[in-house]
Amino acid sequence: QVQLMESGGGLVQAGGSLRLSCAASGNIFSVNVMGWYRQAPGKQRELVAIMTSYGTPNYADSVKGRFTISRDNAKNTVYLQMNSLKPEDTANYYCNIRVPGAQNGINYWGKGTLVTVSA
């Protein structure tokens, strides 16, 4: 089992910044993918940014140039620096880790942290 503890959400005005953190604990493999997804009311959950344990990032087009993902493997922690926030970034942000197992890996999710961007 893997546990994920998120922090850093909140209310911010458009154009502002927030930093999300997510610490993983439990049966974490050294090779994994950690990152962030988000879900706005009435919409499906979507990828925001993920990063492999080797440091390779992948971003949604909507956040490229504004969000930066990073991770500290020694602390099993992933960060999401969000700059130039827009009202459309308002959503619950979920931390995710995918570890080896089954056919396509095993996914674990955090409980989510709410980000609200006011106009």
Side-chain angles (χ1 to χ4, degrees), residues 93-107:
Y93 283 69
Y94 296 91
C95 181
N96 169 270
I97 184 171
R98 187 168 76 245
V99 300
Q103 191 169 8
N104 296 312
I106 301 174
N107 282 290

Side-chain angles (χ1 to χ4, degrees), residues 73-89:
N73 289 338
K75 297 181 179 179
N76 294 318
T77 299
V78 64
Y79 306 95
L80 185 68
Q81 178 66 42
M82 303 185 293
N83 298 329
S84 302
L85 282 160
K86 304 176 181 179
E88 51 263 45
D89 294 318

